[in-house]
Amino acid sequence: MNQTNRCQLFMLFLLSMLAIPVGAQKLSVTDVNHPDTTVQSLSYVNGRAPLRQQCFIKLPVGSIQPEGWVKRYLQLQANGLTGHLGEISAWLEKDNNAWLTSGGDHGWEEVPYWLKGYSSLAYILGDEQMIAETKVWLEGVFRSQRDNGFFGPANFDHGKPELWAQMIMLETLITYYEYSSDERVINLMTNYFKWELQLPEDQFLKSYWENSRGGDNLYTVLWLYNRTGESFLLDLAHKIHRNTANWCQASTLPNWHNVNIAECFREPATYWMLTSDKSHLKASYNDHHLIRRTFGQVPGGMFGSDENCRMGYIDPRQGVETCGMVEQMASDEIMARFTGDAFWAENCEDVAFNTFPAATTADFKALRYFTSPNMVQSDSENHSPGIQNPGPFLSMNPFSSRCCQHNHAQGWPYYAENLVYATPDNGVGVLLYAACSAKVKVADQREIVLTEETNYPFDDRISFSFKMKGKADFPFYLRVPSWSQGLELTVNGRPVVVEEMHGQYLRLQREWRNGDKVTVRFPMTLKTRRWQVNKNSVSVDYGPLTLSLKINERYVLRDSKETAIGDSHWQKTADSSLWPTSEIYADSPWNYALVLDSQTGLPADIQLIKKPWPADNFPFTLDSVPLEFKAVGARIPSWTMDEHKLCDILPDEDFLSEPSEAVTLVPMGAARLRISSFPVIEE
């Protein structure tokens, strides 16, 4: 052994000695696939027998206070479309609204869609005016319950009660209960579920939306069972599964509507929490992967369906509804809690970082119905049949459409609520990384405050500090991203040696004390993904971020009432000049192939340029994004807009290109116009 090797071994020995006693406390570092679910949390409701334990337990709303860019997003929502939709949307007018007045003339999904996200936003921000507005609607819900247990608007489909809107409102009531502990929620849900149980099966969950989305009903029934233990709820759970669309098929889906798929694929996994039948869990995984094998050969965590998937329409120019994005994120969060599988957290980040930010304007005052991985014009024209839907579905319009206009509200508040979890073994788990502080009860029911500081995903370093009275021995779980090339860990400033990872989480167990600090770094590297079914195109990833061509964006403001889709309705007093439509046009060339280095498979001569963190904490615009990459591309003259005024489908691989030139890539979440699946030239 030479002198160099002896020195290296000696240094490793010293590091390993430092890694064991951190301060005066011994630290146990292991890697695991999920927390221990054989024990029961002392502080939080989890699985009551016969239900399974969740691997991660959601904290009550308000326990987590986001900071950094997530907090900024919530502030933009409150000051923008989410916070002011009650002044704009005709569906939220209070006069004669069936959610407030018995026998009112309008009332379906729009109110609970909006209120679900709006109420969470209000509780997280502690906004008293928004909380008071939430209370107005919830008091109407409580007043609406009949003697037989039914509540809310009475909607019928061919003479049978249609219950989809009630499913959404039940989720809103759950959040309110977390915030308030108001027992009226438990009483309303109990009486309503008794009504559902007595409803004849030939009248139960038979219309299209409720039949597809019965899993949402099932989720709330199991939530209530975990709190009351009433056995009739298990009978109702089985009844709901029997009458919900079959999401357990091996090679097809009940329907191909993008929101249904993003929302409903989790129904079998929800039922698995009751049955423990692995075939139910497997079905949810199969649904997720099945849709992506054909329609999801694109970056951004979603799939190209427009509103409904169509065979032959699989190019990355096909989009997905904003509704689909937020429902996929919510499903990923639920699946991560159920299973402990870090895969779901990574998919949630993929959607949250790369797809969802581009669905709204930077000021959060307008959104568009469809957003695509390759999208080079966002206007108010009819692009059918290039996209499925005839009408102005691509511009940023605050009045369009009645579903996404209201359902968008849940995306970022729910994300903030899932930043930190309790674990069944009385510890703490972090799966989604973002700056925040969280109050969590750990071993001996001691409350701690965990503070996380980071600019992730634009930086790879994350720091945690513990604030508590006294000391507490508990496990601390950190998700290790699958894309990370190794990791660096320090506890109280001292390096900790981590052996090769085989599990999905680092488990740090010790007697923690006030002021303890953990810092982890997940090095981000460049990788490429090939989309073979889409002309062998390539996407470039940097850690959890996918990169897009930087296209100069030219905004044109239009009258939102004149450019809204057909089913949009607004209040008579809504001033469209305060809420304009934004059309976005490309002001620089977009039809580039990316030049790859044939040896490395990476973009040729790619260079990372780090820019200052934005002063307003909002990194999702071309001007403010703190990362850019210089690369090499070549224009393809034959790749143009098609007859439907869409970016044409990807060119065949034998395309002719112009001489190579420098191009700039940016994280695709910051780009409202983007090319993120590239034709390729290998040099």
Side-chain angles (χ1 to χ4, degrees):
M1 181 181 295
N2 61 35
Q3 184 67 25
T4 300
N5 288 338
R6 280 196 290 268
C7 289
Q8 289 174 338
L9 286 173
F10 182 66
M11 290 302 296
L12 286 172
F13 171 75
L14 288 178
L15 287 173
S16 65
M17 294 300 291
L18 286 171
I20 296 173
V22 179
Q25 307 302 319
K26 185 175 180 180
L27 172 69
S28 169
V29 181
T30 54
D31 64 297
V32 297
N33 281 321
H34 55 74
D36 184 1
T37 57
T38 64
V39 292
Q40 185 81 39
S41 171
L42 298 175
S43 303
Y44 299 99
V45 175
N46 203 350
R48 180 195 291 262
L51 301 189
R52 299 179 62 85
Q53 298 284 301
Q54 295 188 42
C55 290
F56 294 98
I57 306 168
K58 182 180 175 296
L59 301 175
V61 64
S63 301
I64 301 170
Q65 289 299 309
E67 298 294 338
W69 66 263
V70 176
K71 181 178 182 179
R72 182 58 181 155
Y73 245 130
L74 299 186
Q75 292 171 335
L76 288 167
Q77 274 199 256
N79 294 329
L81 188 59
T82 309
H84 292 276
L85 200 57
E87 307 160 20
I88 300 170
S89 167
W91 315 107
L92 303 186
E93 281 192 287
K94 292 186 173 70
D95 289 346
N96 210 29
N97 192 300
W99 283 105
L100 296 175
T101 304
S102 178
D105 63 3
H106 61 282
W108 191 46
E109 68 179 6
E110 295 82 13
V111 166
Y113 257 164
W114 165 75
L115 193 62
K116 179 166 76 164
Y118 179 90
S119 62
S120 287
L121 184 62
Y123 304 143
I124 294 169
L125 294 178
D127 188 306
E128 293 301 327
Q129 185 174 345
M130 293 176 66
I131 292 171
E133 177 70 7
T134 296
K135 190 79 169 176
V136 170
W137 293 97
L138 291 179
E139 289 299 326
V141 171
F142 289 124
R143 289 194 305 270
S144 74
Q145 189 157 49
R146 286 64 147 178
D147 291 341
N148 64 2
F150 185 81
F151 75 94
N155 297 307
F156 293 89
D157 183 9
H158 295 91
K160 299 172 183 178
E162 204 275 356
L163 308 179
W164 161 233
Q166 276 75 10
M167 295 182 200
I168 316 171
M169 189 59 81
L170 289 168
E171 296 179 49
T172 308
L173 288 169
I174 285 174
T175 301
Y176 171 64
Y177 181 79
E178 291 179 5
Y179 171 75
S180 67
S181 299
D182 190 333
E183 285 299 313
R184 291 182 297 170
V185 173
I186 302 297
N187 294 333
L188 180 145
M189 293 178 72
T190 299
N191 292 329
Y192 176 70
F193 289 147
K194 287 179 178 178
W195 175 84
E196 281 195 324
L197 186 62
Q198 61 79 39
L199 192 66
E201 296 212 13
D202 62 359
Q203 297 183 40
F204 186 52
L205 304 183
K206 298 308 176 188
S207 67
Y208 177 72
W209 298 113
E210 63 174 0
N211 180 254
S212 292
R213 301 172 179 181
D216 287 45
N217 201 160
L218 177 61
Y219 178 89
T220 55
V221 168
L222 298 186
W223 180 90
L224 184 62
Y225 176 79
N226 275 329
R227 284 149 183 82
T228 68
E230 293 198 63
S231 60
F232 86 89
L233 293 167
L234 301 183
D235 295 332
L236 178 57
H238 291 300
K239 178 181 178 180
I240 291 169
H241 179 71
R242 282 195 308 271
N243 288 277
T244 296
N246 183 7
W247 293 96
C248 295
Q249 301 174 70
S251 57
T252 191
L253 299 173
N255 59 72
W256 298 93
H257 181 70
N258 79 100
V259 183
N260 284 347
I261 296 166
E263 180 175 355
C264 305
F265 82 92
R266 70 175 184 259
E267 189 276 341
T270 306
Y271 195 48
W272 168 72
M273 297 299 289
L274 170 58
T275 67
S276 290
D277 184 336
K278 290 184 179 179
S279 69
H280 294 137
L281 179 61
K282 181 180 177 182
S284 286
Y285 277 84
N286 181 62
D287 289 345
H288 176 90
H289 293 298
L290 187 153
I291 191 68
R292 285 162 177 80
R293 283 197 291 271
T294 299
F295 299 100
Q297 297 298 298
V298 294
M302 293 301 299
F303 46 91
S305 70
D306 302 328
E307 186 166 321
N308 295 282
C309 297
R310 297 176 291 165
M311 290 307 299
Y313 290 83
I314 63 172
D315 189 86
R317 77 174 190 176
Q318 309 306 142
V320 67
E321 286 184 50
T322 302
C323 280
M325 301 170 200
V326 297
E327 293 294 354
Q328 181 69 52
M329 289 167 61
S331 292
D332 290 337
E333 291 152 5
I334 290 170
M335 291 291 290
R337 298 199 302 267
F338 283 175
T339 68
D341 190 346
F343 168 84
W344 299 109
E346 293 202 1
N347 196 77
C348 185
E349 286 190 344
D350 199 358
V351 179
F353 302 158
N354 298 313
T355 297
F356 186 37
T360 66
T361 54
D363 60 7
F364 223 99
K365 290 188 175 180
L367 56 78
R368 59 188 170 202
Y369 196 52
F370 294 136
T371 299
S372 309
N374 283 4
M375 188 172 195
V376 298
Q377 192 156 298
S378 184
D379 58 27
S380 303
E381 296 193 33
N382 178 6
H383 297 276
S384 177
I387 60 173
Q388 186 197 27
N389 308 61
F393 283 90
L394 299 188
S395 60
M396 298 281 191
N397 189 314
F399 297 142
S400 299
S401 129
R402 62 186 288 189
C403 54
C404 299
Q405 181 192 27
H406 301 84
N407 194 23
H408 78 273
Q410 67 171 297
W412 291 120
Y414 277 26
Y415 191 83
E417 288 185 56
N418 283 271
L419 292 176
V420 178
Y421 294 127
T423 60
D425 52 359
N426 300 295
V428 183
V430 181
L431 281 68
L432 304 172
Y433 293 112
C436 67
S437 64
K439 294 180 180 179
V440 194
K441 291 182 179 179
V442 294
D444 302 323
Q445 297 182 295
R446 184 180 301 278
E447 184 175 86
I448 69 164
V449 176
L450 177 71
T451 299
E452 180 178 356
E453 297 177 291
T454 185
N455 286 328
Y456 182 91
F458 301 95
D459 191 12
D460 57 11
R461 191 175 300 275
I462 308 162
S463 294
F464 300 91
S465 58
F466 295 88
K467 183 178 180 181
M468 65 183 80
K469 292 182 179 179
K471 55 190 177 181
D473 194 327
F474 61 89
F476 180 38
Y477 294 88
L478 296 173
R479 175 178 65 87
V480 178
S482 64
W483 45 259
S484 179
Q485 299 281 326
L487 61 87
E488 299 172 9
L489 177 68
T490 63
V491 177
N492 292 334
R494 297 185 177 184
V496 177
V497 175
V498 178
E499 302 293 339
E500 183 180 354
M501 287 286 300
H502 298 285
Q504 301 181 94
Y505 300 94
L506 273 182
R507 184 182 190 273
L508 309 180
Q509 175 94 38
R510 77 182 292 242
E511 190 177 76
W512 301 95
R513 297 176 180 237
N514 186 54
D516 280 347
K517 187 171 183 178
V518 174
T519 299
V520 63
R521 177 174 175 259
F522 300 119
M524 297 181 185
T525 58
L526 288 159
K527 295 181 180 179
T528 57
R529 281 182 287 173
R530 287 272 185 174
W531 310 107
Q532 292 181 340
V533 301
N534 273 325
K535 310 292 181 66
N536 215 26
S537 56
V538 160
S539 294
V540 183
D541 300 322
Y542 181 68
L545 299 171
T546 299
L547 306 183
S548 167
L549 180 71
K550 184 177 182 179
I551 303 170
N552 293 336
E553 299 171 352
R554 176 170 56 90
Y555 283 70
V556 175
L557 301 184
R558 298 278 305 277
D559 189 308
S560 294
K561 294 179 180 179
E562 293 179 0
T563 56
I565 68 174
D567 69 349
S568 299
H569 296 278
W570 44 84
Q571 297 179 21
K572 292 179 181 179
T573 56
D575 185 350
S576 60
S577 68
L578 300 177
W579 301 93
T581 285
S582 290
E583 296 183 335
I584 313 172
Y585 297 90
D587 247 9
S588 61
W590 56 264
N591 53 344
Y592 282 93
L594 197 61
V595 178
L596 299 187
D597 185 319
S598 58
Q599 298 298 313
T600 65
L602 296 175
D605 301 327
I606 190 164
Q607 295 179 337
L608 168 61
I609 299 174
K610 293 188 176 181
K611 299 160 59 180
W613 184 257
D616 65 354
N617 267 336
F618 191 73
F620 288 101
T621 70
L622 294 182
D623 292 333
S624 66
V625 67
L627 303 176
E628 284 190 351
F629 297 80
K630 297 301 181 183
V632 179
R635 290 189 67 182
I636 307 172
S638 62
W639 192 22
T640 61
M641 303 280 276
D642 71 1
E643 68 272 23
H644 307 300
K645 295 186 179 180
L646 293 169
C647 162
D648 206 351
I649 62 173
L650 288 160
D652 292 331
E653 294 177 65
D654 60 353
F655 58 81
L656 297 176
S657 64
E658 295 180 350
S660 60
E661 59 182 284
V663 296
T664 301
L665 307 180
V666 295
M668 64 184 282
R672 273 71 186 169
L673 302 182
R674 63 261 195 95
I675 295 292
S676 53
S677 286
F678 288 91
V680 169
I681 298 171
E682 297 197 44
E683 64 173 20

